Amino acid sequence: MTEITKKVRTRFAPSPTGYVHIGNLRTALYAYLYAKKHNGEFILRVEDTDQKRLVDDATLRILDVLAWSGMKIDEGVMLGKNNKIQESGEKGPYTQSKRLDIYKKYVQQLIDEDKAYYCFCTSERIDEVRKEQQKNKQAPMYDGHCRDFPKEDAQKRIEAGEKYVVRLKIPKDEEIKFDDGVFGEIIVSSNTIDDQVLMKSDGFPTYHLAVVVDDHLMEITHVLRGEEWIPSTPKHIILYKYFGWDAPEFIHLPSIVNENRKKLSKRQGDVSVADFQENGYLPEGLINFLALLGWNPKSEEEFFSMKKLEELFDEKGLHKAGAVFDMKKLDWTNAYYIKQKSIEELTTLCLPYLEKYSQEKNINIGREVAEKIVSIDQERMKKLSNVTENIDFYFSEPEYDKELLRWKENTDSETVNALEKMKKAIEKIENFAKMKDIKEMLFQEADGKVGDHLWPLRVALTGEKQSPSPFEIAWVINKEKSLKRIERAIEKLK
């Protein structure tokens, strides 16, 4: 990488063709962090030239995800008042479908300078050529059939209404070189590069033309994108050379792979950020995890705020090898941030899950009970959705397994005596709002025989083999319900 001598400008340029995927979010994060590390600017550009694959509200979803994750857009497409999409900046439009006249101007320049040409080949002909190449074990690429077609004849065919595309005229027998911030110097023979389509028959540019024109006009200094774009970069280098422009610095990011070292895909499970949001991952947890997924901060610390990441990020710490997406590590990271939340804040975050649960069960969970449940579950939670796991016993009368009520080899009579003792202990407690008072009284009455007394009490309150402690359960369901459940358990044993 060359020394930075001008204001750093990075961009995230998603296509609004669906949900933001984890790989997209990490690319955006690295571009954002790089800009902030160098006091630069982070631009959002929407690349919507693939009109057939556009998804309604996809741009809004992209902006929502960036806002949720804590990345602030300095320029480009952003959310304005009343959550409306707007554009802000002096180098717009920042939506490619609004820039068609700009692309046509530069395509015409390339044609006039004999650096691009009209191609009238049908898709059927191109398919036949590729089949023949594959049959001969050749790399499938355009055979240059229209490359030297006279411009005058081409113009007549266009005027006659014949469909065409515009292709880049790749130079022959040249070495295309560029330095990548992760993979170092890359050299490619121009003879291996296809005469790429620059302008489609519908008048929209392809990615290859639009990205070069836009990055230049928007003064992007550093391009951070996935390593899958490395094979396309020589085409972009040629375009920069043809236009007489300086190319930006390229930093290609290692892929994210699953445990089998295959690229993540929808078939492998949750890969869209929306899935992680819905499952209750915090932005702090997901961002911290993604930042370390392919980048080494050269620190023994494992938890980093966005501000700290902005200070530490350095492309020299990026790995070349694909980064393995480890769900256990994500859960562990997210659990850490859940533990840092106050009960009030965590309860607010958990309310959507508790409200959905209450609707399904046709019950009412008040804020006070919700806070109690959250305070009990906070230590075990890996994601917010965990809050509704195994909580039925708080709201429904348990069914009793007579054998489960007994502690080890205790008889029914001994178990009844233990429950009678615990019932009297609960009756003595005046301030049931304090779990500490409940715990102290129950331990006092157990008189050292914790298993004999607290095991049957816990089962009497929940009917479950595993659950929170009996004093926690009693605290949540209240004194009256606790006494009734103990009485029912005693009746079961008699």
Side-chain angles (χ1 to χ4, degrees):
M1 297 293 288
T2 57
E3 183 181 352
I4 297 173
T5 57
K6 54 185 176 181
K7 190 173 189 67
V8 168
R9 286 170 61 85
T10 66
R11 49 74 169 172
F12 176 48
S15 298
T17 54
Y19 291 98
V20 180
H21 286 196
I22 283 298
N24 302 138
L25 184 61
R26 192 194 63 172
T27 296
L29 175 63
Y30 285 169
Y32 174 84
L33 294 177
Y34 192 90
K36 297 306 162 186
K37 170 66 180 290
H38 298 286
N39 298 312
E41 294 166 339
F42 176 65
I43 294 93
L44 181 73
R45 182 173 71 231
V46 174
E47 298 190 341
D48 62 343
T49 57
D50 190 350
Q51 295 286 294
K52 294 179 181 178
R53 296 178 59 227
L54 296 185
V55 174
D56 291 341
D57 295 330
T59 298
L60 185 60
R61 292 173 186 169
I62 291 165
L63 294 172
D64 283 341
V65 165
L66 292 179
W68 173 81
S69 65
M71 285 182 257
K72 183 179 180 297
I73 300 165
D74 297 309
E75 180 181 319
V77 181
M78 56 183 67
L79 285 175
K81 292 180 180 178
N82 300 321
N83 220 34
K84 288 188 176 181
I85 298 172
Q86 65 179 39
E87 293 193 4
S88 177
E90 299 178 357
K91 302 184 187 303
Y94 296 90
T95 302
Q96 287 186 335
S97 59
K98 299 177 182 179
R99 299 171 61 82
L100 299 186
D101 289 342
I102 297 173
Y103 305 131
K104 288 175 183 176
K105 168 190 169 184
Y106 286 104
V107 164
Q108 191 59 52
Q109 177 183 329
L110 293 172
I111 290 172
D112 292 343
E113 296 174 358
D114 199 29
K115 295 169 181 173
Y117 59 94
Y118 298 109
C119 175
F120 300 92
C121 292
T122 63
S123 57
E124 290 80 11
R125 182 190 178 276
I126 290 173
D127 287 341
E128 285 301 318
V129 170
R130 286 177 177 167
K131 287 178 183 177
E132 191 63 28
Q133 289 171 333
Q134 289 172 343
K135 182 180 177 182
N136 296 326
K137 297 184 178 179
Q138 296 172 319
M141 57 193 298
Y142 183 63
D143 63 354
H145 180 73
C146 297
R147 184 178 172 110
D148 298 315
F149 203 74
K151 289 182 184 178
E152 297 78 11
D153 292 345
Q155 196 61 44
K156 289 178 182 177
R157 294 175 71 168
I158 292 171
E159 291 171 359
E162 194 169 342
K163 283 191 174 183
Y164 67 92
V165 298
V166 177
R167 290 183 179 273
L168 177 63
K169 187 174 282 189
I170 300 292
K172 299 297 183 182
D173 304 319
E174 286 189 14
E175 281 190 341
I176 311 301
K177 299 179 182 180
F178 68 96
D179 287 314
D180 183 79
V182 174
F183 296 92
E185 185 180 51
I186 295 175
I187 303 174
V188 176
S189 168
S190 65
N191 296 335
T192 65
I193 303 173
D194 201 359
D195 277 6
Q196 182 68 49
V197 173
L198 299 178
M199 188 73 76
K200 296 176 287 186
S201 59
D202 61 3
F204 277 79
T206 60
Y207 169 82
H208 305 285
L209 173 72
V211 73
V212 169
V213 171
D214 290 347
D215 282 347
H216 172 73
L217 296 181
M218 295 178 189
E219 297 181 9
I220 302 302
T221 60
H222 295 77
V223 171
L224 289 89
R225 60 188 179 192
E227 66 174 312
E228 66 270 17
W229 290 109
I230 289 177
S232 296
T233 305
K235 302 171 188 176
H236 304 165
I237 297 294
I238 290 169
L239 275 169
Y240 278 106
K241 181 181 176 182
Y242 280 179
F243 285 125
W245 299 337
D246 291 332
E249 299 285 350
F250 292 100
I251 302 173
H252 287 95
L253 310 171
S255 298
I256 300 176
V257 298
N258 60 23
E259 292 179 355
N260 297 321
R261 304 206 69 84
K262 292 184 178 179
K263 193 172 180 180
L264 288 185
S265 69
K266 289 182 180 179
R267 296 174 188 173
Q268 302 296 332
D270 294 342
V271 295
S272 78
V273 178
D275 290 330
F276 290 93
Q277 289 176 299
E278 289 169 11
N279 283 327
Y281 288 93
L282 301 175
E284 307 97 297
L286 189 58
I287 288 298
N288 193 148
F289 171 76
L290 286 179
L292 303 182
L293 197 60
W295 172 67
N296 183 351
K298 296 182 173 63
S299 168
E300 292 187 4
E301 292 182 57
E302 297 193 77
F303 303 106
F304 302 91
S305 65
M306 183 70 89
K307 185 178 180 181
K308 192 67 175 177
L309 290 171
E310 291 173 15
E311 295 172 3
L312 293 177
F313 188 76
D314 185 342
E315 78 277 7
K316 292 177 183 177
L318 291 169
H319 305 160
K320 290 183 181 180
V324 177
F325 194 96
D326 185 345
M327 283 298 300
K328 290 181 180 178
K329 182 65 178 289
L330 172 58
D331 286 347
W332 177 79
T333 303
N334 202 60
Y336 168 83
Y337 286 100
I338 284 176
K339 291 180 178 67
Q340 309 311 305
K341 300 288 184 185
S342 68
I343 296 302
E344 292 76 15
E345 184 181 2
L346 186 57
T347 301
T348 299
L349 291 169
C350 288
L351 280 180
Y353 303 94
L354 289 169
E355 287 171 357
K356 182 180 178 182
Y357 173 86
S358 65
Q359 289 171 2
E360 292 172 352
K361 300 292 183 178
N362 196 26
I363 58 174
N364 179 43
I365 303 176
R367 175 81 190 199
E368 182 181 352
V369 171
E371 286 193 3
K372 287 181 177 180
I373 292 173
V374 168
S375 68
I376 292 170
D377 287 355
Q378 184 175 25
E379 285 300 310
R380 73 170 183 84
M381 288 172 64
K382 296 176 182 177
K383 49 190 179 181
L384 301 178
S385 57
N386 291 150
V387 73
T388 60
E389 294 174 1
N390 197 29
I391 62 171
D392 289 352
F393 47 74
Y394 289 124
F395 309 103
S396 59
E397 292 291 333
E399 295 296 326
Y400 297 114
D401 180 337
K402 194 173 180 179
E403 292 184 4
L404 188 60
L405 279 164
R406 293 193 294 263
W407 171 250
K408 294 186 176 179
E409 303 301 322
N410 287 355
T411 64
D412 288 354
S413 177
E414 289 171 328
T415 304
V416 167
N417 290 336
L419 287 173
E420 292 279 12
K421 197 173 182 182
M422 292 294 95
K423 180 172 176 284
K424 289 178 182 178
I426 289 175
E427 288 173 337
K428 292 178 186 178
I429 301 169
E430 295 182 3
N431 188 359
F432 221 71
K434 289 186 177 181
M435 184 168 55
K436 180 183 177 184
D437 291 355
I438 301 172
K439 184 176 181 180
E440 287 179 353
M441 179 62 76
L442 292 177
F443 269 102
Q444 180 181 322
E445 292 298 317
D447 195 25
K449 297 181 179 181
V450 176
D452 291 296
H453 293 83
L454 297 189
W455 174 271
L457 174 59
R458 188 187 60 74
V459 177
L461 296 177
T462 67
E464 302 289 338
K465 189 174 183 179
Q466 293 181 327
S467 72
S469 66
F471 37 89
E472 289 173 321
I473 300 295
W475 178 59
V476 173
I477 66 175
N478 72 37
K479 185 174 183 176
E480 182 183 355
K481 288 181 180 178
S482 297
L483 293 172
K484 284 183 178 179
R485 291 187 183 187
I486 295 170
E487 289 169 2
R488 284 186 64 234
I490 291 172
E491 289 298 318
K492 179 76 174 180
L493 289 163
K494 286 184 177 179

